[in-house]
């Protein structure tokens, strides 16, 4: 509501009247209060400054018995000049030594007299007159000390400001009435005066809103030739020019918006000076930064080719670069050479293609290497048996044939593991989910590998938390993962080692962990242990019959269960491998 100019003008008038009346009222009230204070102390000073009164007050009559009553009788003759009336302005005669009330024109008030007045306290303490005014106090007082007939007295006159407070109250009511009357008049006048300013501004505002919404059909009527009228006329001219300009800009903008905003490739256009003309969101995302109008070609792509090289190129130029984790292919081409033109840079994100190519090359190389080794061994032993047929001792022939069989089995395992990974990658290998007791599965695993651990003189222990729940998972696949973890622990722990298989529950998951004190895995190799064909110790892995795919398959199985398979940081030698599974199975069930 206060955002309206009309209401702002009204509020200004109201605030002016309020401010004026507040200042005037405060000034009048303070002036009246100051006047009464000055009048009171002037009145007291004039009366008690008379020598005749001082002489009468200090001179005791012969045979006088009550000096306080005599002083009261004398002052009552000046009650008119002192303004004493007994209820608003009261006279007290006090003992100058003890401050005890002796006489006065209001005995009830004398008995309840408060001694917290600064003037009274000063007079009793020092024996000197005290008449210091105090604007903040709700009373006016004066204390006069005197000696009469060998006794000291204090004449204390107290005015409770009843008269001045009554006058101020009446004045305050009068000020409020004047304020209300002034506010009513100011509001009415401000409404009438503001109309002459508001109506032309409202028309201008309505016209501006129509133009803002694209309606240029009507001009705003100029009703006056003052500043608002000149502004209205200027606005009409501006609206006409804006309409023509918008028609031209709209066509160009539609072309550029369609071209840039809907491209998956990044596009950045530069002027012949290297300043950014246009860019699309895809370019900012690929470059990992905001492309502002202050950006230049040298800043963005100067490290690849200079601007002059691109401007002079007969066709387009091609470059590649890494931008963070993205691999970008850039096509740089000049445009509009006849009018100095500029340079257009198109960015293609080929990261995934590059990674896929690298993975394919690495995979083919690994598979070739893994198959070549057993094939070479088979061929070597087969050639030896062929060339030396009948010459080799039977034991040697049997040994060679055993090697050939072992290498054949190894190739079979490699092919089977590759087929398993292939089914995982293609999504054809579905999980057969059932609910089964997790602790029973761990116990079965322990029983299955116990004898193998005994053959290596390992001390193998099983630790299960009580009341482990049944889990929803592919039991055979989970047992395959468990077997791979425990088998690796048995293989890579020197004879006579210690292996602990433990399982438990944590929240909505169950876990199994295998801890050993074997050879472990160096920190530099740990991030890569789940890569296909990756081995920490290739020679020892082959000797133990490993293909380098076991943990890769285990990781794929656990990931498809939306679980976790990881190494656990620990102190000391050995390794800890932990598997976690959701109790209720994967969410895609």
């Amino acid at each position: 509501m206060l955002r309206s100019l009309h209401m702002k003008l009204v509020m200004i008038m109201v605030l002016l009247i309020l401010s004026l009346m507040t200042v005037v009222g405060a000034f009048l009230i303070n002036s009246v209060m100051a006047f009464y204070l000055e009048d009171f102390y002037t009145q007291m000073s004039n009366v008690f400054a008379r020598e005749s009164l001082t002489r009468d007050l200090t001179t005791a009559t012969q045979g006088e018995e009550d000096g306080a009553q005599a002083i009261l009788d004398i002052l009552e003759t000046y009650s008119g000049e002192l303004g004493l009336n007994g209820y608003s302005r009261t006279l007290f005669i006090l003992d100058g030594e003890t401050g005890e009330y002796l006489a006065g024109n209001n005995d009830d008030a004398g008995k309840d007299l408060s001694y917290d007045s600064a003037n009274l306290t000063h007079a009793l303490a020092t024996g000197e007159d005290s008449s210091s005014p105090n604007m903040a106090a709700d009373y006016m007082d004066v204390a006069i000390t005197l000696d009469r007939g060998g006794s000291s007295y204090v004449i204390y006159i107290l005015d409770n400001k009843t008269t001045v407070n009554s006058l101020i109250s009446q004045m305050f009511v009068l000020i409020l009435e004047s304020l209300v009357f002034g506010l009513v008049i100011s509001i009415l006048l401000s409404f009438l005066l503001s109309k002459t300013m508001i109506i032309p501004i409202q028309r201008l505002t309505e016209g501006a809103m129509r133009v803002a919404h694209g309606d240029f059909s009507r001009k705003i009527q100029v009703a006056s030739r003052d500043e608002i009228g000149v502004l209205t006329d200027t606005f009409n001219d501006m609206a006409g020019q804006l309409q023509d300009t918008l028609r031209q800009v709209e066509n160009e903008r539609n072309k550029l918006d369609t071209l840039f905003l809907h491209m998956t490739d990044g596009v950045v256009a530069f002027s012949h000076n290297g300043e950014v003309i246009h860019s699309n969101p895809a370019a900012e995302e690929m470059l990992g930064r905001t492309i502002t109008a202050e950006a230049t070609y040298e800043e963005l792509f100067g490290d690849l080719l200079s601007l002059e090289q691109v401007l002079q190129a007969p066709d387009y130029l091609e470059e590649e670069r890494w931008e963070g984790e993205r691999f970008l292919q850039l096509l740089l081409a000049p445009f509009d050479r006849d009018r100095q033109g500029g340079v257009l840079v198109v960015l293609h994100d080929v990261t995934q293609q590059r990674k896929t190519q690298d993975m394919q090359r690495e995979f083919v190389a690994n598979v070739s290497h893994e198959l070549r080794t057993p094939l070479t061994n088979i061929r070597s032993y087969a050639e030896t048996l062929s060339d030396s047929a009948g010459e080799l001792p039977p034991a040697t022939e049997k040994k060679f044939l055993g090697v050939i069989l072992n290498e054949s089995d190894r190739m079979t395992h490699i092919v089977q593991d590759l087929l398993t990974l292939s089914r995982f990658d293609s999504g054809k290998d579905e999980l057969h989910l059932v609910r089964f007791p997790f602790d029973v599965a761990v116990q079965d695993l322990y029983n299955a590998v116990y004898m193998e651990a005994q053959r290596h003189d390992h001390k193998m222990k099983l630790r299960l938390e009580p009341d482990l729940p049944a889990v929803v998972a592919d039991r055979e696949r989970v047992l395959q993962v468990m077997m791979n973890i425990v088998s690796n622990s048995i293989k890579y722990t020197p004879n006579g080692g210690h292996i602990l298989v433990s399982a438990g529950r944590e929240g909505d998951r169950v876990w199994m962990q295998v801890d050993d004190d074997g050879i472990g895995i160096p920190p530099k190799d740990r991030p890569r242990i789940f890569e296909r064909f990756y081995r920490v110790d290739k020679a020892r892995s082959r000797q133990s019959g490993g293909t380098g795919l076991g943990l890769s398959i285990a990781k794929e199985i656990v990931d498809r269960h939306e679980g976790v398979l990881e190494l656990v940081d620990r102190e000391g030698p050995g390794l800890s491998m932990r598997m976690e599974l959701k109790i209720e199975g994967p969410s895609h069930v």
Side-chain angles (χ1 to χ4, degrees), residues 265-268 283 286-287 301 328-330 345-349:
D265 291 333
V267 178
V268 186
M286 291 181 186
L287 294 175
F301 307 109
L328 304 180
Q329 183 183 50
L330 290 81
V345 181
V346 180
L347 300 91
H348 302 285
D349 187 353

Side-chain angles (χ1 to χ4, degrees), residues 487-538:
S487 297
N488 285 341
S489 184
I490 294 174
K491 290 177 186 178
Y492 299 113
T493 299
N495 291 346
H498 299 79
I499 299 174
L500 172 64
V501 179
S502 54
R505 176 177 181 172
E506 187 173 323
D508 62 346
R509 293 173 178 259
V510 292
W511 57 269
M512 185 197 80
Q513 183 166 318
V514 179
D515 302 278
D516 62 54
D517 56 359
I519 61 176
I521 297 177
K524 65 181 180 64
D525 293 310
R526 293 193 172 197
R528 303 189 60 188
I529 63 170
F530 296 112
E531 294 181 11
R532 299 175 184 183
F533 293 113
Y534 186 79
R535 295 186 180 93
V536 177
D537 186 345
K538 293 181 173 57

Side-chain angles (χ1 to χ4, degrees), residues 473-489:
D474 187 328
R475 190 176 190 276
E476 297 303 321
R477 292 296 189 189
V478 171
L479 285 174
Q480 180 181 350
V481 175
M482 293 179 177
M483 182 65 71
N484 182 274
I485 297 173
V486 178
S487 297
N488 285 341
S489 184

Side-chain angles (χ1 to χ4, degrees), residues 332-350:
L332 303 91
F335 67 88
D336 204 3
R337 298 176 187 269
D338 297 336
R339 292 183 294 178
Q340 295 186 334
V343 170
L344 190 68
V345 181
V346 180
L347 300 91
H348 302 285
D349 187 353
V350 293

